[in-house]
């Protein structure tokens, strides 16, 4: 059965899938809105977990958390299944498509042949929507793409059953029950409250704005601790996490600013708009960081713009974001 | 150098880097996206509200992405030499080629990662049965001959 799926491009895959699925079911939530209500913004630098020998840096919450929180705050129910059998997983998918229900699923980027080669790493938490089947090909709405696309059944099986860290295990999900009445304002404030808490209040030094400061202090010592080659590799990874597809620029900061911008007119709070401006300014500074870090990486010498100077930019951003999210947290608490 | 002076130097650099405005979203094409699509950035329009804008890339990102691939190519070349010299099994080469790690491969063949590490040596690889070899071949998306015949590695 052919479903008319309202595909729209988004910066980040998880928001995009939620936004597109909601639009299919007749609810209009823009990507920034989903990101904000789902409290997607975060920062963590986890030196003891490594991927490919490089410490993990992340500008967002855990994969899956945005959808979960969004569903909770809107009050909708989501059916989510994972499989141990490939045949069962694909058969269930076909049944859902037959019923005319588009299905969100977790895949590994490496096996999605329609994506540009340069981006195909083993990243197991990419979300796509499958909304139809044509012969041996599945019709795919991948939120990072401008248009819908197709993928062969073999590739889709590989992508759904990729191995390694956080295996997708054929996980697929679809909303089953929608609320009759949605309290938009409450959902927005709760989303902001959680984001404010995550960024400033968690008493662990590697999370939130504290994590940014910690990364700055570590980054400063990379050249002498690790040598030029490794230091640049590490730095390159931080920039990649900040600027690659899916971040909307400046490690999700612009995306969140877009949310605050939109939210301010919905809840009728002017201060949110001002804070959005401030977050934009702080995001600009993060882009400066990426710009200079890119130059350091390009020249392959660690002394072009010293790591200490890069660390200072990062510290400045941490300071600014700390102020912004403390204020947001307080505002949200006053308004719930 | 004191921190404030360092900050000044940085500030002095950061002219014309503002990227918030719609028309200033970077468009540095390095063919990373192979023309398949433009990625979405969020930027402010004339009325200072946000909107999505397509971009073909930004130079710093292209640089670090290219750097990551260069590292990978280096590792693949190294692995190839080792395999052709008989110091490692073809599994090492194909593992590097497909960007995998022993942990990912372990998931595919159903053995712990340390067993996969053993299979990276020619001695243990030579003793593998057809069934395990087929699992490796499936994981690497190649045929059994392509896996076992090291002259095919070029």
């Amino acid at each position: 059965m052919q479903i008319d799926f309202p595909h729209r491009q988004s910066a980040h895959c998880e928001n995009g899938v939620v936004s597109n699925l909601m639009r299919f079911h007749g609810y209009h939530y823009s990507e920034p809105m989903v990101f904000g209500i789902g409290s997607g913004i975060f920062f963590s630098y986890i030196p003891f977990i490594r991927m490919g020998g490089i410490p993990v840096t992340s500008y967002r919450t855990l994969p899956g958390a945005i959808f979960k929180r969004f569903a909770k705050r809107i009050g909708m129910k989501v059916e989510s299944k994972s499989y141990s059998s490939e045949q069962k997983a694909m058969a269930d998918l076909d049944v859902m498509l037959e019923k005319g229900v588009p299905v969100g699923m977790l895949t590994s980027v490496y096996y999605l042949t329609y994506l540009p080669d340069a981006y195909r790493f083993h990243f197991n938490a990419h979300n796509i929507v499958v909304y139809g089947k044509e012969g041996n090909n599945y019709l795919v709405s991948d939120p990072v793409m401008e248009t819908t696309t197709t993928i062969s059944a073999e590739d889709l099986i590989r992508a759904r059953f990729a191995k390694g860290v956080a295996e997708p295990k054929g996980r697929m999900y679809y909303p089953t029950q929608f609320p009759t009445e949605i309290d938009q304002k409450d959902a927005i404030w709760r989303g902001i409250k959680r984001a404010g808490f995550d960024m400033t209040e968690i008493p662990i030094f590697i999370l939130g704005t504290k994590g940014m400061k910690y990364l700055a202090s570590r980054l400063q010592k990379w050249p002498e601790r690790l040598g030029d080659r490794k230091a640049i590799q590490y730095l390159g990874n931080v920039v990649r996490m900040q600027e690659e597809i899916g971040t909307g620029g400046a490690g999700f900061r612009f995306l969140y600013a877009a949310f605050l911008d939109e939210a301010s007119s919905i809840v009728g709070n002017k201060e949110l708009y001002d804070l959005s401006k401030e977050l934009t300014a702080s995001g600009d500074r993060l882009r400066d960081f990426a710009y200079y870090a890119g130059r350091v990486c390009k020249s392959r010498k660690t002394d072009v713009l010293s790591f200490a100077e890069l660390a200072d930019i990062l510290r400045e951003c941490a300071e600014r974001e700390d102020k912004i999210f403390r204020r947001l947290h307080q505002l949200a608490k006053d308004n719930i | 150098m004191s921190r404030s002076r360092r900050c000044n130097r940085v500030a002095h650099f950061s002219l014309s880097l503002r990227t918030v405005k719609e028309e200033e979203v970077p468009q540095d094409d390095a063919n990373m996206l192979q023309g398949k699509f433009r990625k979405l950035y969020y930027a402010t329009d004339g009325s200072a509200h946000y909107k999505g804008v397509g971009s073909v890339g930004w130079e710093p990102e292209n640089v670090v992405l290219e750097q990551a691939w260069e590292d990978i190519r280096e590792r693949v070349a190294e692995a190839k030499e080792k395999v052709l010299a008989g110091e490692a099994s073809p599994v090492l080469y194909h593992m590097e080629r497909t960007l995998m790690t022993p942990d990912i491969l372990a998931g595919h063949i159903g053995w712990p990662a340390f067993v996969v590490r053993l299979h990276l040596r020619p001695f243990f690889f030579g003793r593998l049965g057809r069934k395990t070899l087929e699992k490796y071949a499936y994981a690497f998306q190649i045929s059994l001959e392509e896996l076992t015949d090291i002259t095919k590695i070029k």
Side-chain angles (χ1 to χ4, degrees):
Chain A
M1 193 183 138
Q2 181 76 39
I3 304 171
D4 188 21
F5 192 73
H7 173 83
R8 204 173 284 180
Q9 192 190 14
S10 66
H12 181 56
C13 65
E14 195 175 340
N15 308 325
V17 162
V18 180
S19 175
N20 284 340
L21 280 179
M22 292 300 282
R23 194 173 305 108
F24 174 79
H25 290 285
Y27 295 83
H28 289 271
Y29 286 93
S30 67
E31 186 201 359
M33 218 55 199
V34 173
F35 186 70
I37 293 177
S39 314
I41 200 158
F42 196 45
F43 183 89
S44 55
Y45 171 69
I46 311 176
F48 49 85
I49 301 179
R50 281 154 194 257
M51 276 174 89
I54 300 171
V56 169
T57 315
S58 173
Y59 286 79
R60 47 161 297 186
T61 54
L62 292 171
I66 298 176
F67 196 6
K68 216 167 125 192
R69 290 173 188 166
F70 178 82
K72 193 176 89 186
R73 285 175 193 140
I74 292 296
M76 76 177 176
K77 291 219 168 90
V78 178
E79 174 87 27
S80 175
K81 293 176 192 164
S82 58
Y83 298 87
S84 53
S85 152
E86 295 176 7
Q87 284 76 27
K88 179 98 174 66
M90 295 313 275
D92 268 20
L93 172 63
D94 289 346
V95 169
M96 291 312 293
L97 294 176
E98 206 56 48
K99 280 192 217 162
V101 182
V103 180
M105 60 182 62
L106 278 181
T107 53
S108 164
V109 178
Y110 185 78
Y111 299 103
L112 300 178
T113 39
Y114 54 79
L115 288 176
D117 294 337
Y119 289 89
R120 285 170 59 197
F121 290 94
H122 286 280
F123 171 66
N124 280 347
H126 185 62
N127 292 271
I128 59 173
V129 175
V130 173
Y131 67 96
K133 193 178 183 184
E134 262 175 13
N136 196 32
N137 284 340
Y138 284 91
L139 306 179
V140 175
S141 150
D142 189 321
V144 305
M145 305 265 294
E146 278 173 302
T147 53
T148 55
T149 175
T150 58
I151 191 170
S152 70
E154 292 79 50
D155 285 333
L156 189 61
I157 291 176
R158 279 183 192 272
R160 292 183 71 189
F161 286 90
K163 309 292 182 195
V165 187
E167 295 180 4
K169 294 205 176 87
R171 179 168 291 283
M172 61 182 216
Y173 48 84
Y174 42 88
T176 50
Q177 201 184 324
F178 295 94
T180 45
E181 212 179 320
I182 301 172
D183 189 349
Q184 294 273 30
K185 289 184 184 176
D186 187 65
I188 289 172
W189 283 123
R190 282 184 195 280
I192 292 177
K193 187 178 165 195
R194 180 65 194 264
F197 178 86
D198 281 355
M199 286 298 284
T200 59
E201 299 278 322
I202 299 177
I204 299 173
F205 66 102
I206 55 175
L207 305 178
T209 50
K210 295 183 197 77
M212 291 175 84
K213 284 179 200 161
Y214 178 62
L215 171 60
S217 69
R218 298 288 284 191
L219 185 141
Q220 206 163 355
K221 294 179 202 137
W222 281 349
E224 52 183 280
R225 253 187 68 221
L226 307 162
D228 279 14
R229 201 187 132 82
K230 265 235 140 134
I232 283 173
Q233 218 179 8
Y234 277 30
L235 186 65
N237 187 57
V238 174
V239 177
R240 261 174 58 208
M241 290 305 130
Q242 186 187 314
E243 294 297 337
E244 221 167 65
I245 297 185
T247 64
F252 300 95
R253 268 54 187 168
F254 292 159
L255 195 50
Y256 201 76
F259 158 70
L260 291 177
D261 179 9
E262 203 177 327
S264 93
S265 59
I266 294 178
V267 300
N269 189 317
K270 181 78 178 53
E271 201 175 344
L272 285 185
Y273 180 72
D274 298 338
L275 287 166
S276 147
K277 287 273 140 264
E278 274 174 48
L279 190 57
T280 304
S282 155
D284 271 342
R285 210 65 188 118
L286 268 181
R287 296 215 79 170
D288 288 354
F289 170 77
Y291 177 81
Y292 294 122
R295 291 206 339 196
V296 172
C297 290
K298 197 172 184 180
S299 67
R300 298 194 166 266
K301 291 192 195 82
T302 49
D303 56 355
V304 176
L305 193 81
S306 75
F307 276 52
E309 283 164 297
L310 288 170
D312 280 338
I313 305 183
L314 214 50
R315 274 194 204 95
E316 191 194 325
C317 291
E319 241 12 282
R320 287 185 185 197
E321 284 185 19
D322 198 57
K323 259 189 217 147
I324 296 165
F325 283 98
R326 262 179 217 293
R327 183 67 198 133
L328 282 172
H329 193 208
Q330 193 55 46
L331 267 179
K333 277 201 272 190
D334 294 343
N335 278 286
I336 287 176
Chain B
M1 210 191 307
S2 76
R3 179 174 298 173
S4 62
R5 270 189 60 201
R6 281 203 305 259
C7 281
N8 283 340
R9 241 179 84 190
V10 171
H12 170 71
F13 265 113
S14 61
L15 296 166
S16 72
L17 278 176
R18 293 276 163 259
T19 52
V20 270
K21 296 220 182 78
E22 190 184 340
E23 61 275 12
E24 287 164 8
V25 166
Q27 305 285 354
D28 307 332
D29 198 356
N31 204 27
M32 285 296 175
L33 297 163
Q34 299 171 328
K36 289 186 173 173
F37 61 93
R38 292 181 306 161
K39 46 189 192 160
L40 194 70
Y41 271 105
Y42 280 87
T44 50
D45 59 12
S47 59
H49 286 288
Y50 268 93
K51 66 182 268 189
V53 182
S55 162
V56 289
W58 190 37
E59 205 211 328
E61 193 218 337
N62 296 337
V63 169
V64 292
L65 198 55
E66 181 51 38
Q67 180 198 323
W69 280 103
E70 217 163 276
D71 284 338
I72 290 164
R73 281 196 290 269
E74 237 167 69
R75 292 174 65 135
V76 174
E78 239 168 67
K80 191 166 144 187
E81 259 169 48
K82 271 191 186 169
V83 174
L84 292 177
E87 287 166 24
S89 81
V91 175
L92 177 72
Y93 169 74
H94 290 292
M95 183 177 84
E96 297 290 4
R97 184 182 59 81
T98 52
L99 323 184
M100 294 202 195
T101 60
D103 292 297
I104 298 178
L105 270 180
H108 279 288
I109 65 156
W111 283 97
F114 80 88
V115 178
V116 175
R117 287 198 186 91
L118 289 181
H119 295 167
L120 299 181
R121 303 178 186 200
F123 174 74
F124 293 96
F125 180 74
R127 296 167 72 96
L128 286 180
R130 193 182 167 84
K131 231 175 167 178
T132 318
L133 286 175
E134 268 169 3
K135 282 183 189 165
Y136 274 122
Y138 177 80
F140 296 137
Q141 295 178 279
I142 52 177
S143 69
L144 206 56
E145 293 74 54
E146 282 172 302
L147 176 64
T148 46
D149 187 358
I150 58 168
T151 55
K152 289 229 167 82
I153 300 173
K154 273 170 203 152

